[in-house]
């Protein structure tokens, strides 16, 4: 089983275009595992016998914890771009969170803060290593922004847990961001 291909298809279905897979997410992003499987089985010859075990293995072997499978349902933990925003419960963030991005983008963020852009939420990392990896997707030499998360939360910015390494926020005003000099 090509786990990368499977993970990409599952993310596409659960984050971006579920209607292409004849799926409808509930308000917390869950869909039935059986419905997802039956849609994926018709996508590729290799997936003809796809089972829940394959999904569990794909999630377990993945480099990041992108999906969660529970009680016959599956959802993406972050990354959504669907027009209808998922219901998330605000949570108390750690003192500091990080965001890796390109130097050019940083200039824009200095003006308008961190915005979700094409996704439902801004994505933040708990550690600098993860944030650097995220930033490397955007630039060879990414910049690291430090978000004063606890202070921002105390001022009314809502934060939500994605997985152990990823936190989400609706947006982060520039006043709560420490930019590298
Ligand atoms: C930038 C991956 C202009 C922001 C990663 C980023 C992550 C602004 C880009 C997850 C801006 C959005 C998400 C503003 C923010 N003006 N640009 N005001 N505010 N931006 O890819 O956070 O592998 O949608 O800096 O690991 O890079 O898919 O978000 O560069 O966890 O599981 O707008 O996706 O996970 O880019 O990455 P993205 P991201 P997966």
């Amino acid at each position: 089983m090509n786990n990368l291909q499977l993970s990409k298809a599952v993310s596409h279905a659960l984050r971006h275009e579920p209607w292409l897979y004849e799926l409808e997410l509930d308000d917390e992003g869950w869909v039935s595992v059986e419905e997802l499987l039956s849609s994926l089985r018709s996508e590729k010859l290799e997936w003809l016998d796809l089972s829940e075990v394959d999904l569990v293995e794909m999630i377990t072997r993945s480099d990041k914890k992108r999906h969660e499978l529970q009680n016959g349902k599956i959802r993406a933990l972050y990354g959504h771009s669907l027009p209808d925003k998922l219901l998330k419960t605000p949570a108390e963030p750690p003192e500091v969170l990080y965001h890796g991005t390109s130097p050019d983008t940083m200039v824009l963020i200095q003006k308008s803060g961190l915005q979700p852009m094409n996704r439902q939420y801004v994505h933040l990392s708990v550690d600098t290593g993860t944030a650097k990896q995220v930033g490397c997707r955007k630039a060879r030499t990414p910049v690291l922004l430090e978000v004063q998360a606890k202070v921002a939360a105390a001022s009314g910015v809502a934060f939500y847990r994605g997985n152990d390494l990823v936190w989400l926020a609706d947006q982060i005003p520039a006043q709560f961001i420490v930019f590298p000099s």
Side-chain angles (χ1 to χ4, degrees):
M1 182 67 52
N2 183 332
N3 280 318
L4 184 62
Q5 235 171 34
L6 182 58
S7 175
K8 285 197 169 174
V10 171
S11 285
H12 185 227
L14 302 182
R15 287 176 173 180
H16 306 301
E17 296 188 295
W19 48 88
L20 294 182
Y21 301 79
E22 286 171 61
L23 296 171
E24 204 171 321
L25 274 57
D26 75 9
D27 55 11
E28 293 179 323
W30 295 101
V31 298
S32 130
V33 169
E34 260 325 305
E35 282 175 26
L36 174 64
L37 285 172
S38 101
S39 174
L40 291 174
R41 280 178 196 133
S42 61
E43 282 255 318
K44 265 184 195 296
L45 217 50
E46 199 196 333
W47 294 344
L48 208 58
D49 297 320
L50 205 65
S51 70
E52 184 168 328
V53 173
D54 296 313
L55 290 178
V56 171
E57 194 165 301
M58 178 273 284
I59 294 171
T60 318
R61 291 197 177 172
S62 183
D63 56 335
K64 299 178 186 173
K65 190 162 167 29
R66 296 184 173 93
H67 312 108
E68 168 177 44
L69 196 156
Q70 229 175 70
N71 306 325
K73 290 182 176 180
I74 184 167
R75 68 173 173 181
L77 288 167
Y78 59 89
H80 301 85
S81 68
L82 298 156
D84 286 335
K85 215 164 163 180
L86 301 180
L87 262 193
K88 293 205 171 280
T89 311
E92 183 65 30
E95 190 77 38
V96 170
L97 288 164
Y98 301 92
H99 181 84
T101 193
S102 71
D104 289 351
T105 303
M106 181 179 84
V107 178
L108 302 171
I109 296 170
Q110 281 172 323
K111 292 196 185 112
S112 52
L114 274 166
Q115 299 294 334
M117 308 308 284
N118 294 327
R119 303 197 197 250
Q120 292 187 353
Y121 297 95
V122 167
H123 287 60
L124 302 164
S125 308
V126 296
D127 63 296
T128 57
T130 307
K132 269 185 204 148
Q133 274 177 20
V134 175
C136 280
R137 294 159 47 254
K138 308 288 177 178
R140 203 174 305 159
T141 319
V143 288
L144 208 60
L145 314 184
E146 191 183 298
V147 173
Q148 300 296 320
K150 262 215 163 55
V151 177
S155 312
V157 176
F159 289 83
Y160 316 88
R161 194 186 291 274
N163 63 22
D164 288 349
L165 299 177
V166 178
W167 279 76
L168 308 170
D170 298 311
Q171 53 127 13
I172 308 281
Q175 72 198 84
F176 301 115
I177 304 171
V178 182
F179 295 93
S181 41

